[in-house]
Amino acid sequence: PAILRAARALILFDAILWLAFAAIIAAGVHPSYPDGSIFQWPMAAGGLGGAILMLAIAWILRAPGRLGYRLSVAILAGMVLLGLFDQVGLADLAFMILPLIPLVLLVKGRAWYFRPRMAGQGFPLRTSVE
């Protein structure tokens, strides 16, 4: 469904932003984590971890599945909530809103992930023409 493709596209965009954030910190050009800062490499690793996590979520969400859906919703909700524990500036607000949008889209399109499957197969039953 289109709403879920949009959610996955936003999650992939979020992954790109996390990767850019990690690269900026690793390069030592982020003003809060300059080159040689004690937090430079842990924060760069955290940004890379965020990018990998977003890519994993986008990959998991390509097919119906209750576990993958629930895990993805929990991770996205956690990312939104973690943003509340930071000093909220414009960039922090963007990193909170960006996972919130696909989270809302996933909740709205959740029925697709809970479709029944054929016994012994990973394929969902087709109940209508898509």
Side-chain angles (χ1 to χ4, degrees):
I3 192 169
L4 300 176
R5 282 192 301 272
R8 286 185 62 222
L10 287 169
I11 291 169
L12 289 172
F13 180 67
D14 198 12
I16 292 168
L17 290 180
W18 278 108
L19 188 59
F21 176 69
I24 289 168
I25 291 174
V29 295
H30 192 284
S32 297
Y33 310 104
D35 199 21
S37 166
I38 191 169
F39 297 110
Q40 178 185 10
W41 293 109
M43 289 301 292
L48 181 60
I52 291 169
L53 193 59
M54 292 290 100
L55 288 172
I57 289 172
W59 184 77
I60 288 170
L61 291 174
R62 75 193 193 293
R66 294 171 192 247
L67 180 61
Y69 170 81
R70 288 181 177 146
L71 181 64
S72 299
V73 166
I75 290 170
L76 290 170
M79 291 183 82
V80 172
L81 290 175
L82 283 174
L84 296 174
F85 295 105
D86 195 7
Q87 298 174 355
V88 181
L90 189 57
D92 299 310
L93 188 60
F95 272 86
M96 281 183 352
I97 290 174
L98 197 56
L100 182 62
I101 297 169
L103 177 61
V104 169
L105 294 176
L106 286 174
V107 169
K108 188 173 180 177
R110 71 185 171 274
W112 188 80
Y113 289 101
F114 290 89
R115 291 170 28 179
R117 295 176 181 261
M118 294 186 331
Q121 305 226 355
F123 300 92
L125 291 175
R126 291 203 156 202
T127 56
S128 64
V129 178
E130 294 179 18

